[in-house]
Amino acid sequence: MKKNTKIIIASAAGIAVLGAAALALVLTQPTADDTSSSVTSESDIVIFDYDADDISTLTIKNESGEYTINRLGKEKWGIDSIPEALANISSYSSAMGKAGDLSAKQIVEENASDISKYGFDDPTAEFSMTFKDDKYEDVTCSVGIKFEGENAWYVKTDKSNTVYLVSNGGVSFVMQDVLDYVNTSTLVASYDSENDVVNRVRIERKDLEKDMVFDKLPEETEKEFASTYVAYELSSHNGVLADDELDQDAIYGLFGISASDVFAVTPTDEQKKQTGLDDPYCTVTMVSNEDTVNKLSIGSAVYSVEKNEETGEEVKTITGYYGMISGVDAIYVFSPGVLPWMTVTPESVLYKLFLTPYIYYLDAVKLYDSNRTEYEIKIIGDASESSFTYNGTEIDSARFKTFYQYLLSAYAEKIYNEELTDENKFIAGFTYDHRDEGKESDVVEFYSSDSDRTCIITVNGDVRYKVRQVYATRLLDNLDALLNGGEIKTDF
């Protein structure tokens, strides 16, 4: 079948006089003495007027192939090759409604003697209808070529040679591929903030050194970070905290996910291999509520190819990725914008201010120099009235609070999970002693790194982060300034 063929039927002289635009109008509008043609409004020209529920079968044939939509019951239809669970029910209703209620923009020609000039010798598409209980005679409608000037198509039925002009919207359903009837929206139920809790998300990706695993913090732990937007930790990376302002897409992205296209239904092993889903590049597993598991497997990239007009080289652009959802037997195409797991890294979701206890939740802060000499500063009182002492001597409150702000500013610039060696020398450290008797102290230590002017941070004995080494050296300078006088610098 041909598509978008242009009609050019005129003498050379006629073309020269009329021009291309005028010629198109001559071919689609009735002449003054043509009594067999008429022009009326779209609402007046009814081609078909059938109730959709009376249609037994709707068979569509176009360049993509041939398929039949069957009536299964009242207001219920289906295609044999598409499992009911995968179907877009509204697309069936739409196709049946448009087929049964077809109207034209105008009549182009009645009793056309040469229908080939409208493309009906090799139609762009056709659809045929049969009716339940033989209520009406079977009918076939052909779609010829497109008249670009009106964004419309030439159409005729098998009952006459009357040629109509039907808007693109009226016959768009006839151009659809059978896979257009597969649902692509909300492949996983949308998130319900009142009832859904994501307990774990695991990201397996071939370019990651290790899987990323987000685990929900225990409720009591999460409350400690309520003011700092932390609800998940990367248990795969020694429990480093994930920033809630950065990890939302990775945590909740599977909820309500939609695809941009469908590649195959009930795919074969060969189709899975063709799309890279026999060995996925990335797999995302979400465990929500008590035991609900959703899994997305992501395979090969889908490209668009354009030729550079200047160089003649082909330029490939990734427009999507093939993917499969657990429990859904179909291969979809997902746009890159709905696949945050393809680019997320531990560093990109890292909560950098990893320990920020409220000052009046502490009994004391203990600091250690490079010789591990301890300096204990006790915290007395609360926000309404407080004091701070070192070796029984009270310290200026404002100066200690400035020093404490510097402690809290220790942040993770990158994740570091390698084991410490003898080459990594202790530089400084501090301990937060909590007033809550059931809560153990938090210990933060800084060790030298053999490169990149950073130091290694351990938290409660776990190697976790790296930060610029100047933080640790300035920490000791600020401690000396606090105890012996001098300027406390809060930047580093």
Side-chain angles (χ1 to χ4, degrees):
M1 299 178 202
K2 56 181 178 287
K3 195 172 184 180
N4 296 339
T5 307
K6 296 181 180 177
I7 301 176
I8 303 177
I9 307 174
S11 67
I15 294 175
V17 173
L18 296 174
L23 174 61
L25 291 174
V26 167
L27 291 171
T28 59
Q29 294 180 354
T31 59
D33 61 352
D34 185 359
T35 57
S36 66
S37 299
S38 62
V39 178
T40 52
S41 66
E42 182 173 354
S43 59
D44 291 335
I45 307 175
V46 176
I47 301 176
F48 297 138
D49 185 17
Y50 302 117
D51 189 306
D53 205 44
D54 285 332
I55 302 173
S56 180
T57 65
L58 172 62
T59 299
I60 292 173
K61 185 179 181 182
N62 55 39
E63 64 180 5
S64 69
E66 182 176 339
Y67 57 90
T68 298
I69 303 175
N70 301 291
R71 182 180 184 275
L72 304 178
K74 184 173 178 58
E75 298 182 356
K76 185 177 181 181
W77 299 275
I79 296 175
D80 290 344
S81 61
I82 300 176
E84 184 176 353
L86 302 184
N88 181 351
I89 303 302
S90 63
S91 65
Y92 290 149
S93 302
S94 176
M96 289 295 188
K98 288 183 176 181
D101 185 19
L102 185 65
S103 296
K105 295 167 67 69
Q106 69 181 62
I107 294 176
V108 178
E109 184 178 357
E110 292 183 347
N111 301 318
S113 58
D114 181 10
I115 62 173
S116 64
K117 68 181 181 181
Y118 300 108
F120 296 121
D121 57 329
D122 187 11
T124 299
E126 292 180 348
F127 68 93
S128 302
M129 291 180 286
T130 65
F131 302 90
K132 68 179 183 180
D133 303 324
D134 296 324
K135 187 173 183 179
Y136 305 105
E137 185 179 354
D138 297 352
V139 64
T140 296
C141 185
S142 299
V143 180
I145 60 176
K146 191 174 186 180
F147 175 44
E148 299 289 352
E150 293 287 337
N151 192 26
W153 296 79
Y154 296 111
V155 169
K156 71 174 291 295
T157 75
D158 63 345
K159 306 305 179 187
S160 75
N161 277 358
T162 298
V163 179
Y164 303 92
L165 196 63
V166 177
S167 67
N168 187 66
V171 294
S172 58
F173 74 95
V174 198
M175 314 300 182
Q176 290 182 313
D177 186 286
V178 65
L179 293 178
D180 291 332
Y181 293 88
V182 178
N183 176 52
T184 58
S185 300
T186 318
L187 301 177
V188 176
S190 297
Y191 177 65
D192 182 346
S193 60
E194 294 186 1
N195 297 304
D196 289 327
V197 176
V198 178
N199 300 313
R200 167 173 285 196
V201 172
R202 176 183 293 274
I203 303 170
E204 304 167 63
R205 202 174 69 225
K206 289 187 176 182
D207 66 327
L208 293 173
E209 292 184 4
K210 60 160 74 172
D211 296 350
M212 291 176 62
V213 181
F214 294 87
D215 274 320
K216 187 85 167 63
L217 289 170
E219 185 176 348
E220 61 274 12
T221 305
E222 184 179 347
K223 288 179 180 178
E224 295 178 23
F225 297 101
S227 63
T228 52
Y229 308 104
V230 173
Y232 290 86
E233 66 177 5
L234 279 167
S235 56
S236 54
H237 292 70
N238 283 347
V240 301
L241 300 176
D243 191 325
D244 267 14
E245 294 187 341
L246 301 175
D247 67 9
Q248 294 294 292
D249 289 343
I251 299 292
Y252 299 100
L254 274 181
F255 285 111
I257 191 170
S258 296
S260 58
D261 205 353
V262 183
F263 177 77
V265 172
T266 56
T268 64
D269 289 343
E270 181 59 31
Q271 287 173 321
K272 291 179 181 179
K273 183 177 181 179
Q274 179 184 350
T275 55
L277 288 164
D278 59 330
D279 182 22
Y281 176 76
C282 179
T283 302
V284 184
T285 306
M286 177 180 71
V287 181
S288 58
N289 305 325
E290 292 187 5
D291 56 2
T292 302
V293 178
N294 293 105
K295 184 176 181 179
L296 169 65
S297 299
I298 305 169
S300 306
V302 179
Y303 296 92
S304 66
V305 181
E306 296 182 1
K307 182 171 288 188
N308 186 307
E309 294 182 0
E310 294 182 0
T311 64
E313 295 181 355
E314 290 187 342
V315 180
K316 297 172 67 175
T317 303
I318 293 177
T319 58
Y321 293 88
Y322 296 110
M324 294 187 73
I325 298 280
S326 57
V328 183
D329 196 17
I331 296 176
Y332 296 93
V333 177
F334 295 93
S335 67
V338 302
L339 301 176
W341 313 279
M342 293 294 286
T343 55
V344 68
T345 63
E347 283 76 13
S348 69
V349 295
L350 177 62
Y351 184 71
K352 296 184 180 298
L353 297 175
F354 52 88
L355 275 179
T356 55
Y358 182 48
I359 190 171
Y360 298 115
Y361 286 174
L362 303 177
D363 275 334
V365 176
K366 297 174 183 175
L367 300 112
Y368 308 90
D369 61 20
S370 58
N371 296 317
R372 292 193 178 272
T373 302
E374 181 179 289
Y375 303 84
E376 181 179 25
I377 300 174
K378 294 183 177 180
I379 301 170
I380 303 165
D382 53 29
S384 60
E385 185 177 354
S386 61
S387 61
F388 311 95
T389 63
Y390 170 68
N391 281 345
T393 301
E394 188 168 339
I395 299 174
D396 179 80
S397 177
R399 283 174 59 79
F400 177 73
K401 290 179 180 178
T402 300
F403 176 79
Y404 188 74
Q405 287 177 351
Y406 183 80
L407 285 185
L408 296 182
S409 71
Y411 71 90
E413 293 184 319
K414 63 174 67 173
I415 295 174
Y416 185 80
N417 290 147
E418 296 181 21
E419 296 294 328
L420 293 175
T421 69
D422 293 339
E423 300 298 319
N424 305 126
K425 305 301 183 183
F426 181 81
I427 301 173
F430 55 83
T431 297
Y432 293 127
D433 286 342
H434 300 276
R435 288 182 178 175
D436 185 346
E437 293 182 0
K439 184 171 177 57
E440 296 183 0
S441 299
D442 286 313
V443 180
V444 180
E445 296 181 334
F446 302 86
Y447 292 83
S448 64
S449 176
D450 55 5
S451 62
D452 65 13
R453 295 182 181 180
T454 62
C455 57
I456 300 165
I457 304 174
T458 69
V459 179
N460 298 328
D462 293 328
V463 179
R464 292 191 180 180
Y465 314 105
K466 272 191 171 185
V467 69
R468 281 172 288 169
Q469 189 165 336
V470 66
Y471 175 87
T473 55
R474 183 154 294 173
L475 171 63
L476 296 178
D477 292 341
N478 283 340
L479 176 61
D480 181 69
L482 174 68
L483 300 181
N484 301 310
E487 179 185 4
I488 299 174
K489 298 179 180 179
T490 56
D491 62 326
F492 64 94

